[in-house]
Amino acid sequence: MTHPFLDLAPLSAARFAAVEDRVARLLGTEQDVVIMQGEALLPLEGAIRGTAGPGTTALNVITGPYGQTFGNWLRDCGATVIDLAVPFHTAVTADQIRQAFAEHPEIDFVSLVHAEAATGNTNPVAEIGEVVGAHGALFYLDAVASVGAEPVLPDAWGVDLCVIGAQKAMGGPAGVSAVSVSERAWARMAANPRAPRRSYLSLLDWKERWIDGGRKALLHAPAQLEMLALEACVERIEADGPAAVMARHRTAALSARAAAVALGGGVEPYVYEAAEAAPVATTLRTPAGVVASEVVARALELDPALPLAAGGGALAKEMIRVNHYGADATPGAVRGSVAALGAVLAERGLRVDVEGALRAAAEAWR
Ligand SMILES: *Cc1c(COP(=O)(O)O)cnc(C)c1O
């Protein structure tokens, strides 16, 4: 008897290339799309190490924990890094980017996270792209938490390096990821003596040995199961329609936000402005004296299947994350999360309106 996912025929180069083309269609891009055999941090790091060096002046926008990581990689590459950190309850604005260019006209690289699953905000990439483009800087975007939940359009927005992973709103595997690379970004890498070469981090290896060779021979054995899972999740998005998938995420976010407001008890949406709240996940602030990680732990005792998490690091005290993405971008997942959180807060003596919160959550789906 053949095993359903062990005894598979080898994945051909043609199939691998076809999956790349499918991802390119999803992003509406004419740029080269390179699929990388690892979690999204692989292309995120590879793209920075490929393009940044001692001659680079990078504007690193920090709207959540990943921005910190990118800044560290950029510094490690020898780049001069200008950090632009905004409070986690808000998004960055195009004006702040414009201001940074006015103060530092030498900026030639901008790194930005589109949506932040970890803090619940989403940044206005289209507007920021116009500013970055006007100054001719290379534009690097982490779209892992936005792809599938909201539009991600590297060509329309002038993004030179757009990294995606399938494990959030695409409802797919975490073990493969992809990056779209513009001609300008390839040129930067080719001119960068420090760009990784003959390395697992190297995008140039894929350019020279895969793309320029007409995508006939893979660099190494493909991660077959992950490639099949990636293909399947893109296929599913195509079948459902990307607009419908994004609408489900947007509605889940509106639903969770409305429920939090109606719940009361001192619980508030963590991101102040609804327009800056990410469709991928909704973050809530717990009232003073109520430890978010304890609330989440108790809620998960009531129902371990709920898509709940506490914020990372210091945020664990005050932030609850409702990760309503992928298979959890549903009325049921939001409803269950609200009901469990409401029950836990009521247990602790907070005056919460669970019925009102559930009504508000349901209203958003109508
Ligand atoms: C989830 C996510 C990633 C992927 O990183 P993991 O730590 O493996 O989940 C990268 N960037 C952003 C913005 C993400 O939300």
Side-chain angles (χ1 to χ4, degrees), residues 39-41 44 64-67 70 112-119 142-146 163-165 167-168 174 280 321 325:
E39 200 273 339
L41 287 164
L44 285 168
Y66 291 95
F70 303 160
L112 177 72
V113 176
H114 184 186
E116 297 272 8
T119 48
D142 174 351
V144 176
S146 50
V163 175
I164 66 156
Q167 73 262 42
K168 300 262 168 70
V280 72
R321 295 168 53 182
Y325 53 71

Side-chain angles (χ1 to χ4, degrees), residues 270-283:
Y270 201 93
V271 178
Y272 294 175
E273 299 292 331
E276 296 180 345
V280 72
T282 299
T283 47

Side-chain angles (χ1 to χ4, degrees), residues 182-206:
S182 72
E183 283 305 322
R184 286 181 348 132
W186 284 130
R188 278 258 196 137
M189 283 186 233
N192 181 4
R194 293 205 183 187
R197 290 170 168 83
R198 300 289 183 259
S199 155
Y200 208 61
L201 279 171
S202 176
L203 283 165
L204 278 178
D205 286 1
W206 285 90

